[in-house]
Amino acid sequence: MPNQAFILLAEDNEDDVLLMKRALGRAGLVNPVHVVNDGAEAIEYLKGAVEARSSGSEIPLLICLDLNMPTMNGFDVLGWIREQPNLRGVPVVIISQSDNRPDINRATHLGANSYLVKPANFDGLVSMMATVKQMLGAVERHTEALVARSPA
């Protein structure tokens, strides 16, 4: 039985991590969430996942990135991800407090699949995580269809 697909969450604020995990659960998302605390840690984790893929390690099904992290920001991580052949197809969602048009445009230009602004209240966060759940469901269905069509 394959491992359950997981989400990689790159977020440096512990309170936001806790709230996002609770909101994901409230939104009905059962996929495990692996948390990294900054951009450099996200890249190291992803490098390890790519290198270990042949030994059965899983690459995340979805990557959620905060923009404003120490060491390396979300833009830099997103740019790095999109340069990696083994990660180009992994959907990346930016989850940020910034609703500035230049940030949204830059994230889109770098290859983000979606840009979500962190809401001010928990109910809004649950609604936002429900959107992430829908995106994850679409990715899983697409992946299953590709696997079903591939020759054995």
Side-chain angles (χ1 to χ4, degrees), residues 92-114:
V92 178
V93 175
I94 301 297
I95 300 176
S96 177
Q97 292 180 342
S98 172
D99 62 355
N100 294 328
R101 178 55 57 189
D103 287 343
I104 296 167
N105 290 343
R106 183 174 178 198
T108 302
H109 177 75
L110 288 170
N113 296 84
S114 186

mmCIF file with all atom_site columns, all heavy atoms in Angstrom, residues 92-114:
data_model
loop_
_atom_site.group_PDB
_atom_site.id
_atom_site.type_symbol
_atom_site.label_atom_id
_atom_site.label_alt_id
_atom_site.label_comp_id
_atom_site.label_asym_id
_atom_site.label_entity_id
_atom_site.label_seq_id
_atom_site.pdbx_PDB_ins_code
_atom_site.Cartn_x
_atom_site.Cartn_y
_atom_site.Cartn_z
_atom_site.occupancy
_atom_site.B_iso_or_equiv
_atom_site.pdbx_formal_charge
_atom_site.auth_seq_id
_atom_site.auth_comp_id
_atom_site.auth_asym_id
_atom_site.auth_atom_id
_atom_site.pdbx_PDB_model_num
ATOM 1   N N   . VAL A 1 92  ? 2.330  24.395 -6.298  1.00 0.00 ? 92  VAL A N   1
ATOM 2   C CA  . VAL A 1 92  ? 2.804  25.250 -5.212  1.00 0.00 ? 92  VAL A CA  1
ATOM 3   C C   . VAL A 1 92  ? 1.760  26.336 -4.973  1.00 0.00 ? 92  VAL A C   1
ATOM 4   O O   . VAL A 1 92  ? 1.372  27.054 -5.898  1.00 0.00 ? 92  VAL A O   1
ATOM 5   C CB  . VAL A 1 92  ? 4.171  25.893 -5.545  1.00 0.00 ? 92  VAL A CB  1
ATOM 6   C CG1 . VAL A 1 92  ? 4.603  26.826 -4.412  1.00 0.00 ? 92  VAL A CG1 1
ATOM 7   C CG2 . VAL A 1 92  ? 5.228  24.823 -5.795  1.00 0.00 ? 92  VAL A CG2 1
ATOM 8   N N   . VAL A 1 93  ? 1.329  26.421 -3.711  1.00 0.00 ? 93  VAL A N   1
ATOM 9   C CA  . VAL A 1 93  ? 0.374  27.443 -3.300  1.00 0.00 ? 93  VAL A CA  1
ATOM 10  C C   . VAL A 1 93  ? 1.099  28.405 -2.368  1.00 0.00 ? 93  VAL A C   1
ATOM 11  O O   . VAL A 1 93  ? 1.698  27.987 -1.385  1.00 0.00 ? 93  VAL A O   1
ATOM 12  C CB  . VAL A 1 93  ? -0.821 26.816 -2.558  1.00 0.00 ? 93  VAL A CB  1
ATOM 13  C CG1 . VAL A 1 93  ? -1.763 27.888 -2.029  1.00 0.00 ? 93  VAL A CG1 1
ATOM 14  C CG2 . VAL A 1 93  ? -1.572 25.844 -3.461  1.00 0.00 ? 93  VAL A CG2 1
ATOM 15  N N   . ILE A 1 94  ? 1.053  29.685 -2.711  1.00 0.00 ? 94  ILE A N   1
ATOM 16  C CA  . ILE A 1 94  ? 1.586  30.716 -1.826  1.00 0.00 ? 94  ILE A CA  1
ATOM 17  C C   . ILE A 1 94  ? 0.480  31.076 -0.845  1.00 0.00 ? 94  ILE A C   1
ATOM 18  O O   . ILE A 1 94  ? -0.652 31.362 -1.254  1.00 0.00 ? 94  ILE A O   1
ATOM 19  C CB  . ILE A 1 94  ? 2.024  31.972 -2.620  1.00 0.00 ? 94  ILE A CB  1
ATOM 20  C CG1 . ILE A 1 94  ? 3.096  31.631 -3.650  1.00 0.00 ? 94  ILE A CG1 1
ATOM 21  C CG2 . ILE A 1 94  ? 2.475  33.075 -1.655  1.00 0.00 ? 94  ILE A CG2 1
ATOM 22  C CD1 . ILE A 1 94  ? 4.393  31.108 -3.096  1.00 0.00 ? 94  ILE A CD1 1
ATOM 23  N N   . ILE A 1 95  ? 0.823  31.044 0.446   1.00 0.00 ? 95  ILE A N   1
ATOM 24  C CA  . ILE A 1 95  ? -0.119 31.450 1.489   1.00 0.00 ? 95  ILE A CA  1
ATOM 25  C C   . ILE A 1 95  ? 0.572  32.567 2.253   1.00 0.00 ? 95  ILE A C   1
ATOM 26  O O   . ILE A 1 95  ? 1.533  32.332 2.978   1.00 0.00 ? 95  ILE A O   1
ATOM 27  C CB  . ILE A 1 95  ? -0.484 30.269 2.408   1.00 0.00 ? 95  ILE A CB  1
ATOM 28  C CG1 . ILE A 1 95  ? -1.129 29.142 1.588   1.00 0.00 ? 95  ILE A CG1 1
ATOM 29  C CG2 . ILE A 1 95  ? -1.420 30.730 3.514   1.00 0.00 ? 95  ILE A CG2 1
ATOM 30  C CD1 . ILE A 1 95  ? -1.441 27.894 2.381   1.00 0.00 ? 95  ILE A CD1 1
ATOM 31  N N   . SER A 1 96  ? 0.080  33.792 2.049   1.00 0.00 ? 96  SER A N   1
ATOM 32  C CA  . SER A 1 96  ? 0.781  34.962 2.568   1.00 0.00 ? 96  SER A CA  1
ATOM 33  C C   . SER A 1 96  ? -0.183 35.982 3.154   1.00 0.00 ? 96  SER A C   1
ATOM 34  O O   . SER A 1 96  ? -1.367 35.995 2.814   1.00 0.00 ? 96  SER A O   1
ATOM 35  C CB  . SER A 1 96  ? 1.569  35.618 1.421   1.00 0.00 ? 96  SER A CB  1
ATOM 36  O OG  . SER A 1 96  ? 2.206  36.789 1.855   1.00 0.00 ? 96  SER A OG  1
ATOM 37  N N   . GLN A 1 97  ? 0.349  36.833 4.009   1.00 0.00 ? 97  GLN A N   1
ATOM 38  C CA  . GLN A 1 97  ? -0.443 37.953 4.518   1.00 0.00 ? 97  GLN A CA  1
ATOM 39  C C   . GLN A 1 97  ? -0.486 39.102 3.518   1.00 0.00 ? 97  GLN A C   1
ATOM 40  O O   . GLN A 1 97  ? -1.324 39.977 3.615   1.00 0.00 ? 97  GLN A O   1
ATOM 41  C CB  . GLN A 1 97  ? 0.121  38.433 5.848   1.00 0.00 ? 97  GLN A CB  1
ATOM 42  C CG  . GLN A 1 97  ? -0.066 37.423 6.951   1.00 0.00 ? 97  GLN A CG  1
ATOM 43  C CD  . GLN A 1 97  ? 0.496  37.882 8.279   1.00 0.00 ? 97  GLN A CD  1
ATOM 44  O OE1 . GLN A 1 97  ? 1.315  38.790 8.349   1.00 0.00 ? 97  GLN A OE1 1
ATOM 45  N NE2 . GLN A 1 97  ? 0.060  37.239 9.348   1.00 0.00 ? 97  GLN A NE2 1
ATOM 46  N N   . SER A 1 98  ? 0.408  39.079 2.556   1.00 0.00 ? 98  SER A N   1
ATOM 47  C CA  . SER A 1 98  ? 0.500  40.158 1.585   1.00 0.00 ? 98  SER A CA  1
ATOM 48  C C   . SER A 1 98  ? -0.570 40.016 0.497   1.00 0.00 ? 98  SER A C   1
ATOM 49  O O   . SER A 1 98  ? -0.693 38.972 -0.129  1.00 0.00 ? 98  SER A O   1
ATOM 50  C CB  . SER A 1 98  ? 1.881  40.157 0.917   1.00 0.00 ? 98  SER A CB  1
ATOM 51  O OG  . SER A 1 98  ? 1.896  41.082 -0.156  1.00 0.00 ? 98  SER A OG  1
ATOM 52  N N   . ASP A 1 99  ? -1.307 41.091 0.311   1.00 0.00 ? 99  ASP A N   1
ATOM 53  C CA  . ASP A 1 99  ? -2.241 41.122 -0.816  1.00 0.00 ? 99  ASP A CA  1
ATOM 54  C C   . ASP A 1 99  ? -1.784 42.158 -1.851  1.00 0.00 ? 99  ASP A C   1
ATOM 55  O O   . ASP A 1 99  ? -2.567 42.633 -2.667  1.00 0.00 ? 99  ASP A O   1
ATOM 56  C CB  . ASP A 1 99  ? -3.669 41.409 -0.351  1.00 0.00 ? 99  ASP A CB  1
ATOM 57  C CG  . ASP A 1 99  ? -3.825 42.771 0.319   1.00 0.00 ? 99  ASP A CG  1
ATOM 58  O OD1 . ASP A 1 99  ? -2.800 43.468 0.514   1.00 0.00 ? 99  ASP A OD1 1
ATOM 59  O OD2 . ASP A 1 99  ? -4.963 43.131 0.658   1.00 0.00 ? 99  ASP A OD2 1
ATOM 60  N N   . ASN A 1 100 ? -0.487 42.481 -1.820  1.00 0.00 ? 100 ASN A N   1
ATOM 61  C CA  . ASN A 1 100 ? 0.083  43.447 -2.760  1.00 0.00 ? 100 ASN A CA  1
ATOM 62  C C   . ASN A 1 100 ? 0.151  42.851 -4.157  1.00 0.00 ? 100 ASN A C   1
ATOM 63  O O   . ASN A 1 100 ? 0.666  41.747 -4.353  1.00 0.00 ? 100 ASN A O   1
ATOM 64  C CB  . ASN A 1 100 ? 1.491  43.870 -2.317  1.00 0.00 ? 100 ASN A CB  1
ATOM 65  C CG  . ASN A 1 100 ? 1.474  44.638 -1.020  1.00 0.00 ? 100 ASN A CG  1
ATOM 66  O OD1 . ASN A 1 100 ? 0.520  45.354 -0.731  1.00 0.00 ? 100 ASN A OD1 1
ATOM 67  N ND2 . ASN A 1 100 ? 2.511  44.489 -0.232  1.00 0.00 ? 100 ASN A ND2 1
ATOM 68  N N   . ARG A 1 101 ? -0.329 43.585 -5.135  1.00 0.00 ? 101 ARG A N   1
ATOM 69  C CA  . ARG A 1 101 ? -0.344 43.127 -6.527  1.00 0.00 ? 101 ARG A CA  1
ATOM 70  C C   . ARG A 1 101 ? 1.056  42.744 -7.019  1.00 0.00 ? 101 ARG A C   1
ATOM 71  O O   . ARG A 1 101 ? 1.199  41.723 -7.684  1.00 0.00 ? 101 ARG A O   1
ATOM 72  C CB  . ARG A 1 101 ? -0.988 44.194 -7.415  1.00 0.00 ? 101 ARG A CB  1
ATOM 73  C CG  . ARG A 1 101 ? -1.037 43.885 -8.890  1.00 0.00 ? 101 ARG A CG  1
ATOM 74  C CD  . ARG A 1 101 ? -1.691 42.581 -9.277  1.00 0.00 ? 101 ARG A CD  1
ATOM 75  N NE  . ARG A 1 101 ? -3.046 42.436 -8.826  1.00 0.00 ? 101 ARG A NE  1
ATOM 76  C CZ  . ARG A 1 101 ? -3.736 41.295 -8.924  1.00 0.00 ? 101 ARG A CZ  1
ATOM 77  N NH1 . ARG A 1 101 ? -3.208 40.230 -9.480  1.00 0.00 ? 101 ARG A NH1 1
ATOM 78  N NH2 . ARG A 1 101 ? -4.957 41.214 -8.475  1.00 0.00 ? 101 ARG A NH2 1
ATOM 79  N N   . PRO A 1 102 ? 2.129  43.501 -6.699  1.00 0.00 ? 102 PRO A N   1
ATOM 80  C CA  . PRO A 1 102 ? 3.463  43.081 -7.158  1.00 0.00 ? 102 PRO A CA  1
ATOM 81  C C   . PRO A 1 102 ? 3.879  41.704 -6.614  1.00 0.00 ? 102 PRO A C   1
ATOM 82  O O   . PRO A 1 102 ? 4.513  40.923 -7.325  1.00 0.00 ? 102 PRO A O   1
ATOM 83  C CB  . PRO A 1 102 ? 4.393  44.184 -6.644  1.00 0.00 ? 102 PRO A CB  1
ATOM 84  C CG  . PRO A 1 102 ? 3.504  45.391 -6.531  1.00 0.00 ? 102 PRO A CG  1
ATOM 85  C CD  . PRO A 1 102 ? 2.161  44.850 -6.106  1.00 0.00 ? 102 PRO A CD  1
ATOM 86  N N   . ASP A 1 103 ? 3.515  41.393 -5.362  1.00 0.00 ? 103 ASP A N   1
ATOM 87  C CA  . ASP A 1 103 ? 3.835  40.067 -4.812  1.00 0.00 ? 103 ASP A CA  1
ATOM 88  C C   . ASP A 1 103 ? 3.062  38.969 -5.553  1.00 0.00 ? 103 ASP A C   1
ATOM 89  O O   . ASP A 1 103 ? 3.611  37.922 -5.884  1.00 0.00 ? 103 ASP A O   1
ATOM 90  C CB  . ASP A 1 103 ? 3.505  39.998 -3.315  1.00 0.00 ? 103 ASP A CB  1
ATOM 91  C CG  . ASP A 1 103 ? 4.483  40.780 -2.457  1.00 0.00 ? 103 ASP A CG  1
ATOM 92  O OD1 . ASP A 1 103 ? 5.593  41.105 -2.947  1.00 0.00 ? 103 ASP A OD1 1
ATOM 93  O OD2 . ASP A 1 103 ? 4.146  41.062 -1.292  1.00 0.00 ? 103 ASP A OD2 1
ATOM 94  N N   . ILE A 1 104 ? 1.794  39.217 -5.793  1.00 0.00 ? 104 ILE A N   1
ATOM 95  C CA  . ILE A 1 104 ? 0.962  38.240 -6.503  1.00 0.00 ? 104 ILE A CA  1
ATOM 96  C C   . ILE A 1 104 ? 1.502  38.030 -7.916  1.00 0.00 ? 104 ILE A C   1
ATOM 97  O O   . ILE A 1 104 ? 1.650  36.885 -8.370  1.00 0.00 ? 104 ILE A O   1
ATOM 98  C CB  . ILE A 1 104 ? -0.518 38.699 -6.531  1.00 0.00 ? 104 ILE A CB  1
ATOM 99  C CG1 . ILE A 1 104 ? -1.075 38.749 -5.099  1.00 0.00 ? 104 ILE A CG1 1
ATOM 100 C CG2 . ILE A 1 104 ? -1.352 37.789 -7.419  1.00 0.00 ? 104 ILE A CG2 1
ATOM 101 C CD1 . ILE A 1 104 ? -2.400 39.468 -4.974  1.00 0.00 ? 104 ILE A CD1 1
ATOM 102 N N   . ASN A 1 105 ? 1.831  39.117 -8.604  1.00 0.00 ? 105 ASN A N   1
ATOM 103 C CA  . ASN A 1 105 ? 2.373  39.009 -9.966  1.00 0.00 ? 105 ASN A CA  1
ATOM 104 C C   . ASN A 1 105 ? 3.702  38.265 -9.982  1.00 0.00 ? 105 ASN A C   1
ATOM 105 O O   . ASN A 1 105 ? 3.946  37.427 -10.856 1.00 0.00 ? 105 ASN A O   1
ATOM 106 C CB  . ASN A 1 105 ? 2.538  40.395 -10.587 1.00 0.00 ? 105 ASN A CB  1
ATOM 107 C CG  . ASN A 1 105 ? 1.220  41.053 -10.897 1.00 0.00 ? 105 ASN A CG  1
ATOM 108 O OD1 . ASN A 1 105 ? 0.174  40.413 -10.961 1.00 0.00 ? 105 ASN A OD1 1
ATOM 109 N ND2 . ASN A 1 105 ? 1.253  42.370 -11.073 1.00 0.00 ? 105 ASN A ND2 1
ATOM 110 N N   . ARG A 1 106 ? 4.565  38.569 -9.027  1.00 0.00 ? 106 ARG A N   1
ATOM 111 C CA  . ARG A 1 106 ? 5.872  37.899 -8.984  1.00 0.00 ? 106 ARG A CA  1
ATOM 112 C C   . ARG A 1 106 ? 5.709  36.404 -8.728  1.00 0.00 ? 106 ARG A C   1
ATOM 113 O O   . ARG A 1 106 ? 6.363  35.585 -9.372  1.00 0.00 ? 106 ARG A O   1
ATOM 114 C CB  . ARG A 1 106 ? 6.743  38.536 -7.897  1.00 0.00 ? 106 ARG A CB  1
ATOM 115 C CG  . ARG A 1 106 ? 8.142  37.950 -7.843  1.00 0.00 ? 106 ARG A CG  1
ATOM 116 C CD  . ARG A 1 106 ? 9.015  38.698 -6.874  1.00 0.00 ? 106 ARG A CD  1
ATOM 117 N NE  . ARG A 1 106 ? 10.327 38.088 -6.803  1.00 0.00 ? 106 ARG A NE  1
ATOM 118 C CZ  . ARG A 1 106 ? 11.177 38.280 -5.829  1.00 0.00 ? 106 ARG A CZ  1
ATOM 119 N NH1 . ARG A 1 106 ? 10.871 39.106 -4.837  1.00 0.00 ? 106 ARG A NH1 1
ATOM 120 N NH2 . ARG A 1 106 ? 12.346 37.671 -5.828  1.00 0.00 ? 106 ARG A NH2 1
ATOM 121 N N   . ALA A 1 107 ? 4.834  36.044 -7.789  1.00 0.00 ? 107 ALA A N   1
ATOM 122 C CA  . ALA A 1 107 ? 4.597  34.629 -7.497  1.00 0.00 ? 107 ALA A CA  1
ATOM 123 C C   . ALA A 1 107 ? 4.045  33.905 -8.724  1.00 0.00 ? 107 ALA A C   1
ATOM 124 O O   . ALA A 1 107 ? 4.473  32.790 -9.047  1.00 0.00 ? 107 ALA A O   1
ATOM 125 C CB  . ALA A 1 107 ? 3.650  34.482 -6.311  1.00 0.00 ? 107 ALA A CB  1
ATOM 126 N N   . THR A 1 108 ? 3.134  34.542 -9.415  1.00 0.00 ? 108 THR A N   1
ATOM 127 C CA  . THR A 1 108 ? 2.563  33.946 -10.628 1.00 0.00 ? 108 THR A CA  1
ATOM 128 C C   . THR A 1 108 ? 3.635  33.793 -11.702 1.00 0.00 ? 108 THR A C   1
ATOM 129 O O   . THR A 1 108 ? 3.743  32.745 -12.342 1.00 0.00 ? 108 THR A O   1
ATOM 130 C CB  . THR A 1 108 ? 1.399  34.815 -11.145 1.00 0.00 ? 108 THR A CB  1
ATOM 131 O OG1 . THR A 1 108 ? 0.411  34.923 -10.113 1.00 0.00 ? 108 THR A OG1 1
ATOM 132 C CG2 . THR A 1 108 ? 0.771  34.217 -12.382 1.00 0.00 ? 108 THR A CG2 1
ATOM 133 N N   . HIS A 1 109 ? 4.434  34.819 -11.875 1.00 0.00 ? 109 HIS A N   1
ATOM 134 C CA  . HIS A 1 109 ? 5.516  34.780 -12.869 1.00 0.00 ? 109 HIS A CA  1
ATOM 135 C C   . HIS A 1 109 ? 6.517  33.667 -12.558 1.00 0.00 ? 109 HIS A C   1
ATOM 136 O O   . HIS A 1 109 ? 7.038  33.023 -13.475 1.00 0.00 ? 109 HIS A O   1
ATOM 137 C CB  . HIS A 1 109 ? 6.228  36.135 -12.915 1.00 0.00 ? 109 HIS A CB  1
ATOM 138 C CG  . HIS A 1 109 ? 7.388  36.169 -13.851 1.00 0.00 ? 109 HIS A CG  1
ATOM 139 N ND1 . HIS A 1 109 ? 7.232  36.219 -15.216 1.00 0.00 ? 109 HIS A ND1 1
ATOM 140 C CD2 . HIS A 1 109 ? 8.729  36.126 -13.619 1.00 0.00 ? 109 HIS A CD2 1
ATOM 141 C CE1 . HIS A 1 109 ? 8.430  36.203 -15.788 1.00 0.00 ? 109 HIS A CE1 1
ATOM 142 N NE2 . HIS A 1 109 ? 9.356  36.155 -14.836 1.00 0.00 ? 109 HIS A NE2 1
ATOM 143 N N   . LEU A 1 110 ? 6.774  33.416 -11.277 1.00 0.00 ? 110 LEU A N   1
ATOM 144 C CA  . LEU A 1 110 ? 7.719  32.372 -10.877 1.00 0.00 ? 110 LEU A CA  1
ATOM 145 C C   . LEU A 1 110 ? 7.117  30.963 -10.958 1.00 0.00 ? 110 LEU A C   1
ATOM 146 O O   . LEU A 1 110 ? 7.836  29.986 -10.810 1.00 0.00 ? 110 LEU A O   1
ATOM 147 C CB  . LEU A 1 110 ? 8.240  32.632 -9.461  1.00 0.00 ? 110 LEU A CB  1
ATOM 148 C CG  . LEU A 1 110 ? 9.217  33.790 -9.318  1.00 0.00 ? 110 LEU A CG  1
ATOM 149 C CD1 . LEU A 1 110 ? 9.458  34.109 -7.843  1.00 0.00 ? 110 LEU A CD1 1
ATOM 150 C CD2 . LEU A 1 110 ? 10.533 33.479 -10.031 1.00 0.00 ? 110 LEU A CD2 1
ATOM 151 N N   . GLY A 1 111 ? 5.805  30.878 -11.172 1.00 0.00 ? 111 GLY A N   1
ATOM 152 C CA  . GLY A 1 111 ? 5.193  29.568 -11.371 1.00 0.00 ? 111 GLY A CA  1
ATOM 153 C C   . GLY A 1 111 ? 4.296  29.066 -10.267 1.00 0.00 ? 111 GLY A C   1
ATOM 154 O O   . GLY A 1 111 ? 3.971  27.872 -10.220 1.00 0.00 ? 111 GLY A O   1
ATOM 155 N N   . ALA A 1 112 ? 3.853  29.942 -9.355  1.00 0.00 ? 112 ALA A N   1
ATOM 156 C CA  . ALA A 1 112 ? 2.906  29.507 -8.326  1.00 0.00 ? 112 ALA A CA  1
ATOM 157 C C   . ALA A 1 112 ? 1.594  29.097 -8.991  1.00 0.00 ? 112 ALA A C   1
ATOM 158 O O   . ALA A 1 112 ? 1.135  29.746 -9.929  1.00 0.00 ? 112 ALA A O   1
ATOM 159 C CB  . ALA A 1 112 ? 2.653  30.618 -7.318  1.00 0.00 ? 112 ALA A CB  1
ATOM 160 N N   . ASN A 1 113 ? 1.003  28.023 -8.497  1.00 0.00 ? 113 ASN A N   1
ATOM 161 C CA  . ASN A 1 113 ? -0.278 27.575 -9.030  1.00 0.00 ? 113 ASN A CA  1
ATOM 162 C C   . ASN A 1 113 ? -1.441 28.360 -8.453  1.00 0.00 ? 113 ASN A C   1
ATOM 163 O O   . ASN A 1 113 ? -2.498 28.458 -9.075  1.00 0.00 ? 113 ASN A O   1
ATOM 164 C CB  . ASN A 1 113 ? -0.479 26.094 -8.742  1.00 0.00 ? 113 ASN A CB  1
ATOM 165 C CG  . ASN A 1 113 ? 0.545  25.251 -9.455  1.00 0.00 ? 113 ASN A CG  1
ATOM 166 O OD1 . ASN A 1 113 ? 1.647  25.066 -8.954  1.00 0.00 ? 113 ASN A OD1 1
ATOM 167 N ND2 . ASN A 1 113 ? 0.221  24.779 -10.641 1.00 0.00 ? 113 ASN A ND2 1
ATOM 168 N N   . SER A 1 114 ? -1.238 28.904 -7.249  1.00 0.00 ? 114 SER A N   1
ATOM 169 C CA  . SER A 1 114 ? -2.286 29.680 -6.601  1.00 0.00 ? 114 SER A CA  1
ATOM 170 C C   . SER A 1 114 ? -1.648 30.613 -5.582  1.00 0.00 ? 114 SER A C   1
ATOM 171 O O   . SER A 1 114 ? -0.552 30.344 -5.082  1.00 0.00 ? 114 SER A O   1
ATOM 172 C CB  . SER A 1 114 ? -3.275 28.737 -5.908  1.00 0.00 ? 114 SER A CB  1
ATOM 173 O OG  . SER A 1 114 ? -4.370 29.440 -5.393  1.00 0.00 ? 114 SER A OG  1
#
